[in-house]
Amino acid sequence: MTVLDERILIEQLKKGDESAFRTIVEKWQDMTYNTALGIVQNAEDAEDITQEVFVQVYQSINTFKGESKFSTWLYRITIAKALDHERRKKRKKRFAIVRKLFDNTEEVIVPDFEHPGVTLDKKESSVVLFKAISQLPENQRIAFTLHKVDGLSYQEVSDVMNLSVSSVESLMHRAKNNLKKTLENYYRSSQ
Amino acid sequence: MKQDPNIQKKVEEALNSLDGIQRAQPGPYFFTRLTARLQNDKKNVWENFGTFISRPLIAFATILVIVLLNSMAFFKNDNPVKPTIIEQNDPALNNAYDVASNTTNNTILTIWNPEDEQSIEK
């Protein structure tokens, strides 16, 4: 799809064309889902976020002025929704901890996250890596996920995150160092 | 600190485990589920508005604003509106009732003429 086709589709959607919306969803649903999945590390939550993203696209397409690429706009909405979802989940978790003090119900164990796109021989290592990624500070986590899981270049990551390329490079460097430390500690303790 | 080569190997493997990762896809019929959600959201607009407005804080704040506006209107009204006499001299209206404005008083006098009343009694 060329940039011109993209613009035509967006204009059609602004006029309320349902078929244009369908084409947009079909084109970008995998990208949106993959980004959400990389951040929240849960298939159900990622699907829920993907739906929320397209609901917002449908409702607020008129606010898209075309100053950035449509995919950049989508990435931003997805990241905002995913982070919001995480915050809500953390609040619930905190509340559950307090409730557990007064209640004897057993704690729900969250299973390890396996990304469906990872090759079979790397699955085990990727589970450990995703666990380490989830412990990174927010900005480092987003930069690392966009680059490594979504395959964006540093330039694209900088566009999405509204940062300079050098800031993204710095974030990636720090993320890799932090991941190394976490992984070393994990493998040392499991020996 | 001395680095264990075995651990370093595992760390490198883990860091490289996302190389060649494929894009994950949502479940089938995603668009159908999405349109169902959109329909549901449209239906719930008034429901959501009702829920929002019936929140104790929102309801209390709304009442407070109304009371404040009323109080302001009451106390700040230094120039109360003086009653004005509207002269009703619309020819169309007068024609419709077959009564000229300058004859109104006469007509009323005619209707309430006490002499007539007395003559009727007589």
Side-chain angles (χ1 to χ4, degrees):
Chain A
M1 188 183 281
T2 61
V3 179
L4 185 67
D5 291 338
E6 232 178 82
R7 275 189 196 161
I8 292 167
L9 262 180
I10 292 158
E11 285 308 313
Q12 283 172 337
L13 181 59
K14 282 182 180 177
K15 287 172 188 161
D17 187 341
E18 298 277 336
S19 66
F21 181 59
R22 190 188 188 107
T23 313
I24 284 172
V25 172
E26 280 168 0
K27 176 159 173 42
W28 280 288
Q29 64 180 28
D30 292 356
M31 182 201 90
T32 309
Y33 176 76
N34 195 55
T35 307
L37 186 66
I39 297 169
V40 296
Q41 301 188 6
N42 179 295
E44 273 178 39
D45 293 348
E47 164 129 4
D48 204 39
I49 291 161
T50 310
Q51 284 186 14
E52 276 180 34
V53 169
F54 284 108
V55 168
Q56 184 165 337
V57 167
Y58 186 78
Q59 288 169 344
S60 59
I61 187 69
N62 286 314
T63 62
F64 177 67
K65 305 288 178 210
E67 286 157 2
S68 61
K69 277 163 72 182
F70 183 70
S71 57
T72 306
W73 189 60
L74 260 185
Y75 272 120
R76 284 180 190 154
I77 298 175
T78 310
I79 292 165
K81 295 260 177 211
L83 292 177
D84 196 42
H85 185 91
E86 273 197 334
R87 283 180 204 122
R88 263 182 283 154
K89 218 170 177 178
K90 269 180 194 164
R91 271 204 298 271
K92 274 186 191 168
K93 221 178 209 174
R94 260 182 251 135
F95 180 69
I97 291 167
V98 175
R99 206 174 55 182
K100 222 184 99 190
L101 297 171
F102 305 99
D103 206 352
N104 284 330
T105 48
E106 281 185 24
E107 196 183 349
V108 181
I109 297 157
V110 183
D112 291 333
F113 170 65
E114 279 185 24
H115 193 288
V118 175
T119 50
L120 204 64
D121 57 318
K122 293 173 180 170
K123 279 252 178 302
E124 209 177 313
S125 308
S126 75
V127 168
V128 183
L129 179 63
F130 271 111
K131 209 179 255 180
I133 291 171
S134 67
Q135 291 167 28
L136 285 174
E138 202 172 274
N139 260 7
Q140 291 177 27
R141 187 156 54 99
I142 299 301
F144 191 86
T145 309
L146 285 175
H147 180 62
K148 287 284 184 181
V149 181
D150 293 291
L152 299 191
S153 65
Y154 282 2
Q155 179 62 58
E156 287 167 324
V157 175
S158 75
D159 289 341
V160 173
M161 296 182 77
N162 259 335
L163 296 170
S164 65
V165 176
S166 56
S167 302
V168 173
E169 282 171 353
S170 163
L171 278 175
M172 284 299 292
H173 180 73
R174 277 183 279 153
K176 279 177 190 166
N177 281 344
N178 284 333
L179 285 173
K180 263 184 191 169
K181 277 181 205 159
T182 313
L183 290 168
E184 275 171 8
N185 288 338
Y186 173 80
Y187 285 121
R188 200 170 287 131
S189 62
S190 63
Q191 258 188 346
Chain B
M1 197 202 293
K2 197 185 168 187
Q3 290 183 332
D4 186 334
N6 194 31
I7 287 175
Q8 286 312 308
K9 193 182 161 222
K10 281 181 176 176
V11 168
E12 282 306 314
E13 273 176 8
L15 282 172
N16 296 329
S17 65
L18 299 182
D19 292 350
I21 191 171
Q22 298 290 309
R23 201 172 252 182
Q25 296 171 342
Y29 311 112
F30 174 77
F31 188 75
T32 312
R33 289 194 296 281
L34 176 64
T35 41
R37 185 171 182 156
L38 269 168
Q39 293 291 325
N40 205 29
D41 278 12
K42 275 181 194 169
K43 277 182 201 165
N44 286 338
V45 168
W46 286 108
E47 207 173 285
N48 291 341
F49 179 71
T51 315
F52 175 75
I53 208 87
S54 61
R55 279 180 182 175
L57 189 72
I58 303 294
F60 182 72
T62 311
I63 292 167
L64 198 72
V65 167
I66 291 169
V67 169
L68 274 171
L69 285 173
N70 275 298
S71 312
M72 273 168 66
F74 184 76
F75 290 111
K76 288 239 169 180
N77 204 355
D78 295 333
N79 295 317
V81 181
K82 288 175 184 166
T84 51
I85 298 158
I86 300 161
E87 194 179 331
Q88 198 171 18
N89 197 9
D90 184 1
L93 195 71
N94 292 337
N95 288 338
Y97 287 97
D98 201 18
V99 176
S101 61
N102 54 358
T103 60
T104 309
N105 290 341
N106 297 339
T107 314
I108 292 166
L109 281 172
T110 315
I111 292 165
W112 292 99
N113 194 347
E115 286 172 11
D116 283 357
E117 224 166 69
Q118 281 165 8
S119 65
I120 291 163
E121 277 175 11
K122 279 174 191 173

